[in-house]
Amino acid sequence: MRPQYDGRTRYQAHAPPNEEPTAAKVRKGVLPILPDLEGEGKVVEPMVWFSKDKRKWCEDRGIPESQIAQLPAWVSQSRVSLLLFGRNGENHIWTVQRATNSNFVWAPEFANVHSTWDYAEKPFKVGSSGDREWWSVEHYFQCMKSKGTPSHDKALQAFQKYKNPMDAFQLGRSFGLRSDWESVKEAVMEEGVRAKFDNCKDLQELLLKTGKHKLVQIKPTDECWGTGKLGLGKNLLGVILEKIRSELQAQQEPAPQPTPQLEAPAPPAPPQEEEKKEEETTEQTALN
């Protein structure tokens, strides 16, 4: 039986019916765009990565073609949230900015449950789970909740059947919960996220594009992995990604070159035999 969504897993701050924001209602400069995040002071507000597959979404909201043509690029997260969720969505971005004291960045590809933006993760293997392939990080994470319980074998079968991460999110509530879950869940999440990025060079490159900016997952309903309602959530998914990013950046740094050692001057070469003979002849001539 397919898991049933309870309506609580998506962002709650949707605009009321018939009041969905349109480009005409958004203040001038619909979607501020940056091709990259490099440069001191260049990022002046929270930004989110938009790949080329966001073209249709932009077109449906009347965003000018001159801006759409610049994708892929970093775009204003507050404007995107305004168009998605209304003023409450936009205000939440500024709430998180103040709470984190940062112009943070994010990419939909970094998320685990792709409820707002469709993204198909490449199946991957996790070292601790042998040769089994997982559809997504969410599949691995939710399935590991029941590891060591009598229902785990059934859970393994169920998580292989449904490919959508949202299905995995719901399935995680359907099986037994291991007694040590609270103490191991962060390590389980990191293990899954690492496997996801190890298996995809494109994701590694995208993560490196974020430079040294803070990574924040906007998730008002999640105080652990996201921002929480007031922007004070632990944001542990962002923390894990920053850790992986630091490791990738370290791999890119050139190895330190050894300091050249100054060699001592070589001793003078001994005189050749002919030179010795000339000296002896000179001495004999002098005596005569």
Side-chain angles (χ1 to χ4, degrees), residues 84-115:
L84 277 171
F85 308 116
R87 292 297 177 189
N88 286 340
E90 179 188 32
N91 290 338
H92 184 67
I93 300 300
W94 301 124
T95 297
V96 176
Q97 184 199 45
R98 290 191 295 270
T100 62
N101 192 31
S102 69
N103 289 318
F104 56 87
V105 301
W106 189 250
E109 292 85 347
F110 297 164
N112 293 335
V113 180
H114 307 285
S115 56

Side-chain angles (χ1 to χ4, degrees), residues 23-128:
K25 293 182 179 180
V26 180
R27 56 187 175 273
K28 190 176 180 181
V30 175
L31 209 59
I33 288 179
L34 291 175
D36 59 65
L37 302 175
E38 298 177 1
E40 186 71 24
K42 189 173 184 179
V43 179
V44 296
E45 66 175 292
M47 306 296 283
V48 62
W49 176 255
F50 258 31
S51 57
K52 288 185 177 181
D53 63 11
K54 304 297 188 295
R55 165 174 281 276
K56 181 67 165 55
W57 184 89
C58 292
E59 290 174 344
D60 290 346
R61 284 153 182 80
I63 293 172
E65 174 60 30
S66 60
Q67 292 188 309
I68 298 175
Q70 297 180 53
L71 300 181
W74 299 93
V75 303
S76 165
Q77 192 154 16
S78 65
R79 306 294 174 84
V80 170
S81 290
L82 173 62
L83 291 170
L84 277 171
F85 308 116
R87 292 297 177 189
N88 286 340
E90 179 188 32
N91 290 338
H92 184 67
I93 300 300
W94 301 124
T95 297
V96 176
Q97 184 199 45
R98 290 191 295 270
T100 62
N101 192 31
S102 69
N103 289 318
F104 56 87
V105 301
W106 189 250
E109 292 85 347
F110 297 164
N112 293 335
V113 180
H114 307 285
S115 56
T116 302
W117 309 104
D118 289 334
Y119 175 69
E121 296 182 16
K122 292 182 179 180
F124 56 83
K125 296 179 182 179
V126 180
S128 64

